[in-house]
Short mmCIF file of all heavy atoms in Angstrom, two decimals:
data_model
loop_
_atom_site.label_atom_id
_atom_site.label_comp_id
_atom_site.label_asym_id
_atom_site.label_seq_id
_atom_site.Cartn_x
_atom_site.Cartn_y
_atom_site.Cartn_z
N MET N 598 23.96 30.00 13.91
CA MET N 598 22.71 29.32 14.09
C MET N 598 22.65 28.85 15.55
O MET N 598 23.60 28.27 16.07
CB MET N 598 22.64 28.12 13.14
CG MET N 598 21.35 27.41 13.20
SD MET N 598 21.05 26.04 12.03
CE MET N 598 22.29 26.11 10.81
N PRO N 599 21.54 29.12 16.21
CA PRO N 599 21.43 28.69 17.60
C PRO N 599 21.57 27.17 17.74
O PRO N 599 21.26 26.40 16.83
CB PRO N 599 20.03 29.13 18.01
CG PRO N 599 19.66 30.18 17.04
CD PRO N 599 20.39 29.88 15.78
N GLN N 600 22.02 26.76 18.90
CA GLN N 600 22.31 25.35 19.12
C GLN N 600 21.06 24.47 19.03
O GLN N 600 21.11 23.35 18.53
CB GLN N 600 22.96 25.19 20.48
CG GLN N 600 23.75 23.92 20.62
CD GLN N 600 24.62 23.96 21.86
OE1 GLN N 600 24.50 24.82 22.70
NE2 GLN N 600 25.51 23.00 21.96
N LEU N 601 19.91 24.96 19.51
CA LEU N 601 18.69 24.17 19.46
C LEU N 601 18.22 23.97 18.02
O LEU N 601 17.79 22.88 17.65
CB LEU N 601 17.58 24.84 20.28
CG LEU N 601 16.23 24.13 20.28
CD1 LEU N 601 16.39 22.73 20.89
CD2 LEU N 601 15.20 24.93 21.04
N VAL N 602 18.33 25.00 17.19
CA VAL N 602 17.92 24.88 15.79
C VAL N 602 18.81 23.87 15.07
O VAL N 602 18.32 23.02 14.31
CB VAL N 602 17.96 26.26 15.10
CG1 VAL N 602 17.68 26.13 13.62
CG2 VAL N 602 16.98 27.20 15.75
N ARG N 603 20.11 23.93 15.31
CA ARG N 603 21.04 22.98 14.71
C ARG N 603 20.71 21.55 15.18
O ARG N 603 20.71 20.61 14.39
CB ARG N 603 22.47 23.33 15.08
CG ARG N 603 23.49 22.48 14.38
CD ARG N 603 24.94 22.86 14.69
NE ARG N 603 25.16 24.29 14.58
CZ ARG N 603 25.59 25.06 15.60
NH1 ARG N 603 25.81 24.53 16.78
NH2 ARG N 603 25.79 26.34 15.42
N PHE N 604 20.42 21.40 16.46
CA PHE N 604 20.05 20.10 17.03
C PHE N 604 18.82 19.53 16.32
O PHE N 604 18.81 18.37 15.93
CB PHE N 604 19.79 20.27 18.53
CG PHE N 604 19.38 19.01 19.23
CD1 PHE N 604 20.33 18.14 19.71
CD2 PHE N 604 18.04 18.72 19.44
CE1 PHE N 604 19.97 16.99 20.37
CE2 PHE N 604 17.66 17.58 20.09
CZ PHE N 604 18.62 16.70 20.56
N ILE N 605 17.81 20.36 16.15
CA ILE N 605 16.56 19.90 15.53
C ILE N 605 16.79 19.54 14.06
O ILE N 605 16.32 18.50 13.59
CB ILE N 605 15.47 20.97 15.67
CG1 ILE N 605 15.03 21.07 17.13
CG2 ILE N 605 14.27 20.66 14.78
CD1 ILE N 605 14.10 22.21 17.42
N ILE N 606 17.51 20.36 13.32
CA ILE N 606 17.74 20.09 11.90
C ILE N 606 18.54 18.82 11.70
O ILE N 606 18.20 17.98 10.85
CB ILE N 606 18.44 21.30 11.23
CG1 ILE N 606 17.46 22.48 11.15
CG2 ILE N 606 18.96 20.94 9.85
CD1 ILE N 606 18.08 23.76 10.69
N VAL N 607 19.59 18.64 12.51
CA VAL N 607 20.42 17.44 12.36
C VAL N 607 19.63 16.19 12.70
O VAL N 607 19.67 15.19 11.97
CB VAL N 607 21.69 17.55 13.23
CG1 VAL N 607 22.41 16.23 13.34
CG2 VAL N 607 22.61 18.62 12.68
N ARG N 608 18.88 16.21 13.80
CA ARG N 608 18.12 15.02 14.21
C ARG N 608 16.99 14.71 13.22
O ARG N 608 16.72 13.54 12.94
CB ARG N 608 17.55 15.18 15.61
CG ARG N 608 18.55 15.32 16.73
CD ARG N 608 19.68 14.33 16.64
NE ARG N 608 20.60 14.34 17.75
CZ ARG N 608 21.67 15.10 17.85
NH1 ARG N 608 21.96 15.96 16.91
NH2 ARG N 608 22.47 15.01 18.89
N MET N 609 16.34 15.72 12.69
CA MET N 609 15.28 15.49 11.69
C MET N 609 15.88 14.91 10.41
O MET N 609 15.30 14.01 9.81
CB MET N 609 14.54 16.79 11.39
CG MET N 609 13.64 17.27 12.50
SD MET N 609 12.16 16.31 12.71
CE MET N 609 11.22 16.86 11.30
N ALA N 610 17.03 15.41 9.99
CA ALA N 610 17.67 14.90 8.78
C ALA N 610 18.11 13.44 8.95
O ALA N 610 17.90 12.61 8.05
CB ALA N 610 18.86 15.77 8.40
N ILE N 611 18.69 13.12 10.09
CA ILE N 611 19.11 11.74 10.34
C ILE N 611 17.90 10.82 10.39
O ILE N 611 17.90 9.74 9.80
CB ILE N 611 19.93 11.66 11.64
CG1 ILE N 611 21.28 12.35 11.47
CG2 ILE N 611 20.15 10.21 12.06
CD1 ILE N 611 22.05 12.52 12.76
N GLY N 612 16.86 11.24 11.09
CA GLY N 612 15.65 10.42 11.17
C GLY N 612 14.98 10.24 9.82
O GLY N 612 14.50 9.15 9.50
N PHE N 613 14.95 11.29 9.02
CA PHE N 613 14.35 11.18 7.68
C PHE N 613 15.17 10.24 6.81
O PHE N 613 14.60 9.45 6.04
CB PHE N 613 14.23 12.55 7.02
CG PHE N 613 13.42 12.53 5.77
CD1 PHE N 613 12.04 12.57 5.84
CD2 PHE N 613 14.01 12.45 4.53
CE1 PHE N 613 11.27 12.53 4.69
CE2 PHE N 613 13.26 12.42 3.38
CZ PHE N 613 11.88 12.46 3.46
N LEU N 614 16.47 10.28 6.92
CA LEU N 614 17.32 9.38 6.15
C LEU N 614 17.07 7.93 6.56
O LEU N 614 16.92 7.05 5.70
CB LEU N 614 18.79 9.74 6.35
CG LEU N 614 19.79 8.88 5.61
CD1 LEU N 614 19.66 9.08 4.11
CD2 LEU N 614 21.19 9.21 6.05
N ILE N 615 16.99 7.66 7.85
CA ILE N 615 16.72 6.31 8.33
C ILE N 615 15.35 5.84 7.84
O ILE N 615 15.20 4.71 7.36
CB ILE N 615 16.82 6.26 9.87
CG1 ILE N 615 18.26 6.47 10.32
CG2 ILE N 615 16.29 4.93 10.40
CD1 ILE N 615 18.41 6.69 11.81
N GLY N 616 14.35 6.69 7.97
CA GLY N 616 13.01 6.33 7.53
C GLY N 616 12.91 6.12 6.03
O GLY N 616 12.20 5.24 5.56
N SER N 617 13.62 6.94 5.27
CA SER N 617 13.59 6.79 3.81
C SER N 617 14.25 5.49 3.37
O SER N 617 13.75 4.82 2.45
CB SER N 617 14.31 7.97 3.15
OG SER N 617 13.62 9.15 3.41
N VAL N 618 15.32 5.12 4.02
CA VAL N 618 15.97 3.86 3.70
C VAL N 618 15.06 2.69 4.05
O VAL N 618 14.89 1.75 3.27
CB VAL N 618 17.34 3.74 4.42
CG1 VAL N 618 17.90 2.34 4.32
CG2 VAL N 618 18.32 4.74 3.85
N ALA N 619 14.43 2.76 5.21
CA ALA N 619 13.50 1.70 5.61
C ALA N 619 12.31 1.63 4.65
O ALA N 619 11.88 0.53 4.26
CB ALA N 619 13.01 1.94 7.04
N GLY N 620 11.77 2.76 4.27
CA GLY N 620 10.66 2.78 3.32
C GLY N 620 11.05 2.24 1.96
O GLY N 620 10.28 1.53 1.31
N SER N 621 12.25 2.56 1.51
CA SER N 621 12.73 2.05 0.22
C SER N 621 12.89 0.53 0.26
O SER N 621 12.52 -0.16 -0.69
CB SER N 621 14.08 2.67 -0.13
OG SER N 621 13.94 4.05 -0.30
N ILE N 622 13.42 0.02 1.36
CA ILE N 622 13.59 -1.42 1.48
C ILE N 622 12.23 -2.11 1.51
O ILE N 622 12.02 -3.12 0.84
CB ILE N 622 14.42 -1.75 2.73
CG1 ILE N 622 15.87 -1.30 2.52
CG2 ILE N 622 14.37 -3.24 3.05
CD1 ILE N 622 16.72 -1.36 3.75
N LEU N 623 11.30 -1.58 2.28
CA LEU N 623 9.97 -2.17 2.33
C LEU N 623 9.27 -2.12 0.99
O LEU N 623 8.58 -3.06 0.60
CB LEU N 623 9.11 -1.48 3.39
CG LEU N 623 9.38 -1.90 4.82
CD1 LEU N 623 8.62 -1.01 5.78
CD2 LEU N 623 8.99 -3.34 5.02
N TRP N 624 9.42 -1.02 0.27
CA TRP N 624 8.76 -0.89 -1.03
C TRP N 624 9.31 -1.92 -2.02
O TRP N 624 8.56 -2.57 -2.72
CB TRP N 624 8.95 0.51 -1.59
CG TRP N 624 8.28 0.68 -2.91
CD1 TRP N 624 8.81 0.50 -4.14
CD2 TRP N 624 6.91 1.04 -3.13
NE1 TRP N 624 7.89 0.73 -5.10
CE2 TRP N 624 6.71 1.06 -4.51
CE3 TRP N 624 5.86 1.35 -2.28
CZ2 TRP N 624 5.48 1.38 -5.07
CZ3 TRP N 624 4.64 1.67 -2.84
CH2 TRP N 624 4.46 1.68 -4.22
N THR N 625 10.63 -2.06 -2.07
CA THR N 625 11.22 -2.97 -3.05
C THR N 625 10.99 -4.43 -2.70
O THR N 625 10.93 -5.27 -3.61
CB THR N 625 12.73 -2.72 -3.21
OG1 THR N 625 13.36 -2.85 -1.94
CG2 THR N 625 13.00 -1.34 -3.77
N THR N 626 10.86 -4.76 -1.43
CA THR N 626 10.69 -6.17 -1.06
C THR N 626 9.23 -6.60 -0.97
O THR N 626 8.91 -7.75 -1.25
CB THR N 626 11.37 -6.48 0.27
OG1 THR N 626 10.81 -5.66 1.30
CG2 THR N 626 12.86 -6.28 0.18
N GLY N 627 8.34 -5.69 -0.57
CA GLY N 627 6.98 -6.13 -0.32
C GLY N 627 5.91 -5.59 -1.23
O GLY N 627 4.88 -6.23 -1.43
N PHE N 628 6.10 -4.41 -1.77
CA PHE N 628 5.03 -3.76 -2.50
C PHE N 628 5.28 -3.62 -3.99
O PHE N 628 4.50 -3.03 -4.70
CB PHE N 628 4.78 -2.36 -1.92
CG PHE N 628 4.27 -2.40 -0.52
CD1 PHE N 628 5.08 -2.02 0.53
CD2 PHE N 628 2.99 -2.81 -0.24
CE1 PHE N 628 4.62 -2.06 1.82
CE2 PHE N 628 2.52 -2.85 1.05
CZ PHE N 628 3.33 -2.48 2.09
N SER N 629 6.37 -4.15 -4.48
CA SER N 629 6.68 -3.97 -5.89
C SER N 629 5.69 -4.70 -6.80
O SER N 629 5.39 -4.24 -7.89
CB SER N 629 8.11 -4.42 -6.19
OG SER N 629 8.27 -5.78 -5.84
N ASP N 630 5.15 -5.84 -6.35
CA ASP N 630 4.20 -6.57 -7.18
C ASP N 630 2.86 -5.85 -7.27
O ASP N 630 2.25 -5.79 -8.33
CB ASP N 630 3.97 -7.97 -6.62
CG ASP N 630 5.22 -8.82 -6.70
OD1 ASP N 630 6.07 -8.53 -7.56
OD2 ASP N 630 5.34 -9.76 -5.88
N SER N 631 2.40 -5.28 -6.16
CA SER N 631 1.12 -4.59 -6.19
C SER N 631 1.21 -3.26 -6.94
O SER N 631 0.23 -2.79 -7.48
CB SER N 631 0.61 -4.35 -4.77
OG SER N 631 1.49 -3.51 -4.07
N ALA N 632 2.37 -2.67 -6.98
CA ALA N 632 2.54 -1.40 -7.70
C ALA N 632 2.70 -1.62 -9.20
O ALA N 632 2.59 -0.67 -9.97
CB ALA N 632 3.73 -0.65 -7.16
N ALA N 633 2.96 -2.84 -9.61
CA ALA N 633 3.15 -3.11 -11.03
C ALA N 633 1.85 -2.92 -11.81
O ALA N 633 1.88 -2.65 -13.01
CB ALA N 633 3.67 -4.52 -11.24
N SER N 634 0.72 -3.03 -11.13
CA SER N 634 -0.55 -2.84 -11.83
C SER N 634 -0.82 -1.38 -12.14
O SER N 634 -1.63 -1.07 -13.00
CB SER N 634 -1.70 -3.41 -10.98
OG SER N 634 -1.80 -2.69 -9.77
N LEU N 635 -0.16 -0.48 -11.43
CA LEU N 635 -0.29 0.95 -11.71
C LEU N 635 0.52 1.29 -12.96
O LEU N 635 1.40 0.55 -13.37
CB LEU N 635 0.23 1.77 -10.54
CG LEU N 635 -0.48 1.59 -9.20
CD1 LEU N 635 0.29 2.32 -8.12
CD2 LEU N 635 -1.90 2.11 -9.26
N GLY N 636 0.22 2.44 -13.52
CA GLY N 636 1.01 2.92 -14.64
C GLY N 636 2.38 3.36 -14.16
O GLY N 636 2.64 3.45 -12.95
N PRO N 637 3.30 3.68 -15.06
CA PRO N 637 4.65 4.05 -14.63
C PRO N 637 4.69 5.33 -13.80
O PRO N 637 5.40 5.40 -12.80
CB PRO N 637 5.42 4.20 -15.93
CG PRO N 637 4.39 4.34 -17.00
CD PRO N 637 3.16 3.66 -16.50
N VAL N 638 3.91 6.33 -14.17
CA VAL N 638 3.92 7.59 -13.42
C VAL N 638 3.27 7.40 -12.06
O VAL N 638 3.79 7.86 -11.04
CB VAL N 638 3.22 8.71 -14.22
CG1 VAL N 638 3.10 9.97 -13.39
CG2 VAL N 638 3.96 8.99 -15.50
N GLU N 639 2.14 6.69 -12.01
CA GLU N 639 1.46 6.48 -10.75
C GLU N 639 2.31 5.63 -9.81
O GLU N 639 2.27 5.81 -8.60
CB GLU N 639 0.10 5.81 -10.98
CG GLU N 639 -0.93 6.70 -11.63
CD GLU N 639 -0.84 6.68 -13.15
OE1 GLU N 639 0.00 5.94 -13.71
OE2 GLU N 639 -1.61 7.42 -13.78
N SER N 640 3.07 4.72 -10.36
CA SER N 640 3.95 3.89 -9.53
C SER N 640 5.03 4.74 -8.86
O SER N 640 5.33 4.55 -7.69
CB SER N 640 4.59 2.80 -10.38
OG SER N 640 5.49 2.04 -9.61
N TYR N 641 5.60 5.68 -9.60
CA TYR N 641 6.62 6.55 -9.02
C TYR N 641 6.04 7.48 -7.96
O TYR N 641 6.66 7.73 -6.93
CB TYR N 641 7.32 7.37 -10.11
CG TYR N 641 8.18 6.55 -11.04
CD1 TYR N 641 8.09 6.72 -12.40
CD2 TYR N 641 9.06 5.62 -10.54
CE1 TYR N 641 8.88 5.97 -13.26
CE2 TYR N 641 9.86 4.87 -11.39
CZ TYR N 641 9.76 5.05 -12.74
OH TYR N 641 10.54 4.30 -13.57
N VAL N 642 4.84 7.98 -8.20
CA VAL N 642 4.19 8.85 -7.22
C VAL N 642 3.87 8.07 -5.96
O VAL N 642 4.11 8.53 -4.84
CB VAL N 642 2.92 9.50 -7.82
CG1 VAL N 642 2.12 10.21 -6.75
CG2 VAL N 642 3.28 10.45 -8.94
N ALA N 643 3.34 6.86 -6.12
CA ALA N 643 3.01 6.02 -4.97
C ALA N 643 4.27 5.67 -4.18
O ALA N 643 4.27 5.70 -2.95
CB ALA N 643 2.30 4.76 -5.42
N GLN N 644 5.34 5.38 -4.88
CA GLN N 644 6.59 5.06 -4.20
C GLN N 644 7.13 6.27 -3.45
O GLN N 644 7.58 6.15 -2.31
CB GLN N 644 7.64 4.58 -5.21
CG GLN N 644 8.95 4.18 -4.58
CD GLN N 644 9.94 3.67 -5.61
OE1 GLN N 644 9.70 3.73 -6.80
NE2 GLN N 644 11.05 3.17 -5.15
N GLY N 645 7.06 7.45 -4.05
CA GLY N 645 7.52 8.66 -3.37
C GLY N 645 6.72 8.99 -2.14
O GLY N 645 7.28 9.35 -1.10
N VAL N 646 5.41 8.85 -2.23
CA VAL N 646 4.55 9.13 -1.06
C VAL N 646 4.81 8.11 0.04
O VAL N 646 4.87 8.46 1.23
CB VAL N 646 3.06 9.14 -1.49
CG1 VAL N 646 2.15 9.16 -0.29
CG2 VAL N 646 2.79 10.33 -2.37
N PHE N 647 4.99 6.85 -0.33
CA PHE N 647 5.26 5.80 0.65
C PHE N 647 6.58 6.06 1.38
O PHE N 647 6.65 5.98 2.61
CB PHE N 647 5.30 4.44 -0.06
CG PHE N 647 5.45 3.28 0.87
CD1 PHE N 647 4.35 2.76 1.52
CD2 PHE N 647 6.68 2.68 1.07
CE1 PHE N 647 4.47 1.68 2.37
CE2 PHE N 647 6.82 1.61 1.91
CZ PHE N 647 5.71 1.10 2.57
N ILE N 648 7.62 6.39 0.63
CA ILE N 648 8.92 6.65 1.24
C ILE N 648 8.87 7.91 2.10
O ILE N 648 9.43 7.96 3.20
CB ILE N 648 10.01 6.73 0.16
CG1 ILE N 648 10.21 5.35 -0.45
CG2 ILE N 648 11.32 7.26 0.71
CD1 ILE N 648 11.10 5.32 -1.66
N PHE N 649 8.18 8.95 1.63
CA PHE N 649 8.06 10.17 2.42
C PHE N 649 7.30 9.91 3.71
O PHE N 649 7.64 10.46 4.76
CB PHE N 649 7.36 11.26 1.60
CG PHE N 649 7.25 12.56 2.34
CD1 PHE N 649 8.34 13.39 2.45
CD2 PHE N 649 6.07 12.94 2.94
CE1 PHE N 649 8.25 14.59 3.14
CE2 PHE N 649 5.96 14.13 3.64
CZ PHE N 649 7.07 14.96 3.74
N ALA N 650 6.26 9.07 3.65
CA ALA N 650 5.49 8.76 4.86
C ALA N 650 6.36 8.07 5.91
O ALA N 650 6.26 8.38 7.10
CB ALA N 650 4.29 7.89 4.51
N PHE N 651 7.20 7.16 5.47
CA PHE N 651 8.11 6.53 6.41
C PHE N 651 9.14 7.52 6.92
O PHE N 651 9.46 7.55 8.11
CB PHE N 651 8.83 5.34 5.75
CG PHE N 651 8.19 4.03 6.04
CD1 PHE N 651 7.09 3.62 5.33
CD2 PHE N 651 8.69 3.21 7.03
CE1 PHE N 651 6.49 2.41 5.58
CE2 PHE N 651 8.10 1.99 7.29
CZ PHE N 651 6.99 1.59 6.57
N GLY N 652 9.67 8.34 6.03
CA GLY N 652 10.72 9.28 6.41
C GLY N 652 10.27 10.30 7.44
O GLY N 652 10.96 10.52 8.44
N ASP N 653 9.12 10.93 7.23
CA ASP N 653 8.71 11.97 8.18
C ASP N 653 8.25 11.38 9.51
O ASP N 653 8.47 11.98 10.57
CB ASP N 653 7.64 12.89 7.59
CG ASP N 653 6.33 12.20 7.30
OD1 ASP N 653 6.26 10.98 7.41
OD2 ASP N 653 5.37 12.92 6.94
N THR N 654 7.68 10.19 9.50
CA THR N 654 7.27 9.56 10.76
C THR N 654 8.48 9.19 11.61
O THR N 654 8.53 9.48 12.81
CB THR N 654 6.43 8.31 10.47
OG1 THR N 654 5.32 8.68 9.67
CG2 THR N 654 5.95 7.67 11.75
N ILE N 655 9.47 8.57 10.99
CA ILE N 655 10.67 8.18 11.72
C ILE N 655 11.45 9.41 12.16
O ILE N 655 12.05 9.44 13.24
CB ILE N 655 11.55 7.24 10.86
CG1 ILE N 655 10.78 5.98 10.50
CG2 ILE N 655 12.84 6.88 11.57
CD1 ILE N 655 10.37 5.11 11.65
N ALA N 656 11.45 10.47 11.36
CA ALA N 656 12.16 11.70 11.72
C ALA N 656 11.58 12.32 12.98
O ALA N 656 12.32 12.73 13.88
CB ALA N 656 12.11 12.69 10.56
N LEU N 657 10.27 12.38 13.08
CA LEU N 657 9.66 12.94 14.29
C LEU N 657 9.91 12.06 15.50
O LEU N 657 10.14 12.55 16.60
CB LEU N 657 8.16 13.16 14.07
CG LEU N 657 7.81 14.30 13.15
CD1 LEU N 657 6.30 14.34 12.90
CD2 LEU N 657 8.27 15.62 13.73
N GLY N 658 9.86 10.75 15.31
CA GLY N 658 10.16 9.84 16.41
C GLY N 658 11.61 9.95 16.86
O GLY N 658 11.91 9.92 18.05
N TYR N 659 12.52 10.07 15.91
CA TYR N 659 13.94 10.21 16.24
C TYR N 659 14.20 11.52 16.97
O TYR N 659 14.94 11.55 17.96
CB TYR N 659 14.76 10.14 14.96
CG TYR N 659 16.25 10.07 15.18
CD1 TYR N 659 16.87 8.88 15.49
CD2 TYR N 659 17.04 11.21 15.06
CE1 TYR N 659 18.22 8.80 15.68
CE2 TYR N 659 18.40 11.15 15.25
CZ TYR N 659 18.99 9.94 15.56
OH TYR N 659 20.34 9.88 15.77
N LEU N 660 13.57 12.59 16.51
CA LEU N 660 13.74 13.89 17.17
C LEU N 660 13.19 13.86 18.59
O LEU N 660 13.84 14.33 19.53
CB LEU N 660 13.06 14.99 16.37
CG LEU N 660 13.05 16.38 17.02
CD1 LEU N 660 14.47 16.91 17.16
CD2 LEU N 660 12.19 17.33 16.23
N SER N 661 12.01 13.31 18.78
CA SER N 661 11.42 13.29 20.12
C SER N 661 12.23 12.41 21.06
O SER N 661 12.41 12.75 22.24
CB SER N 661 9.96 12.84 20.06
OG SER N 661 9.87 11.53 19.55
N THR N 662 12.74 11.30 20.56
CA THR N 662 13.58 10.45 21.40
C THR N 662 14.88 11.16 21.76
O THR N 662 15.34 11.09 22.91
CB THR N 662 13.88 9.13 20.68
OG1 THR N 662 12.65 8.50 20.35
CG2 THR N 662 14.70 8.20 21.55
N ALA N 663 15.47 11.85 20.81
CA ALA N 663 16.71 12.58 21.07
C ALA N 663 16.48 13.71 22.07
O ALA N 663 17.31 13.94 22.95
CB ALA N 663 17.29 13.14 19.78
N LEU N 664 15.36 14.40 21.97
CA LEU N 664 15.07 15.47 22.92
C LEU N 664 14.86 14.91 24.32
O LEU N 664 15.24 15.53 25.31
CB LEU N 664 13.82 16.25 22.49
CG LEU N 664 14.01 17.21 21.33
CD1 LEU N 664 12.66 17.75 20.88
CD2 LEU N 664 14.93 18.34 21.72
N MET N 665 14.26 13.74 24.41
CA MET N 665 14.01 13.13 25.71
C MET N 665 15.30 12.57 26.33
O MET N 665 15.52 12.71 27.53
CB MET N 665 12.99 12.01 25.56
CG MET N 665 12.62 11.33 26.86
SD MET N 665 11.44 10.01 26.63
CE MET N 665 12.38 8.84 25.70
N MET N 666 16.16 11.97 25.52
CA MET N 666 17.31 11.25 26.04
C MET N 666 18.53 12.14 26.29
O MET N 666 19.28 11.88 27.22
CB MET N 666 17.71 10.14 25.07
CG MET N 666 16.63 9.09 24.87
SD MET N 666 16.21 8.21 26.36
CE MET N 666 17.49 7.01 26.37
N GLU N 667 18.73 13.14 25.47
CA GLU N 667 19.94 13.95 25.61
C GLU N 667 19.69 15.11 26.55
O GLU N 667 18.76 15.89 26.38
CB GLU N 667 20.38 14.48 24.24
CG GLU N 667 20.87 13.36 23.35
CD GLU N 667 21.46 13.90 22.07
OE1 GLU N 667 21.86 15.08 22.02
OE2 GLU N 667 21.53 13.12 21.12
N SER N 668 20.53 15.21 27.54
CA SER N 668 20.44 16.35 28.47
C SER N 668 21.85 16.90 28.67
O SER N 668 22.82 16.17 28.72
CB SER N 668 19.84 15.91 29.80
OG SER N 668 20.67 14.93 30.40
N GLU N 669 21.90 18.19 28.77
CA GLU N 669 23.23 18.83 28.91
C GLU N 669 23.38 19.37 30.29
O GLU N 669 22.52 19.77 30.98
CB GLU N 669 23.37 19.94 27.89
CG GLU N 669 23.40 19.37 26.49
CD GLU N 669 23.59 20.46 25.47
OE1 GLU N 669 22.67 21.25 25.27
OE2 GLU N 669 24.68 20.49 24.90
#
């Protein structure tokens, strides 16, 4: 696998993991009361979309910062 592809995959995975953890923490501490009014299935879908939104945003930010900061 070319070095740039490996670089992108690793940085996106790390950023997504960081964002997913942050989204999970925010969901459990701040939004759990408002999601209780939804049904059980809708609550899980809303939680998944919320965590994914945090994950992909942080992943792109982490990748762009890594591309800017790391030079060989």
Side-chain angles (χ1 to χ4, degrees):
M598 184 175 347
Q600 201 167 11
L601 179 62
V602 174
R603 186 178 313 120
F604 179 86
I605 290 172
I606 290 172
V607 168
R608 297 314 185 272
M609 288 287 286
I611 291 171
F613 190 82
L614 180 67
I615 292 170
S617 295
V618 169
S621 297
I622 291 170
L623 281 172
W624 181 268
T625 57
T626 59
F628 295 108
S629 59
D630 295 335
S631 63
S634 64
L635 299 172
V638 174
E639 290 86 2
S640 177
Y641 291 133
V642 171
Q644 182 179 6
V646 169
F647 185 81
I648 291 171
F649 182 78
F651 263 81
D653 65 353
T654 304
I655 300 297
L657 288 175
Y659 188 81
L660 174 64
S661 61
T662 303
L664 285 171
M665 182 181 66
M666 298 298 277
E667 292 187 21
S668 61
E669 294 182 290

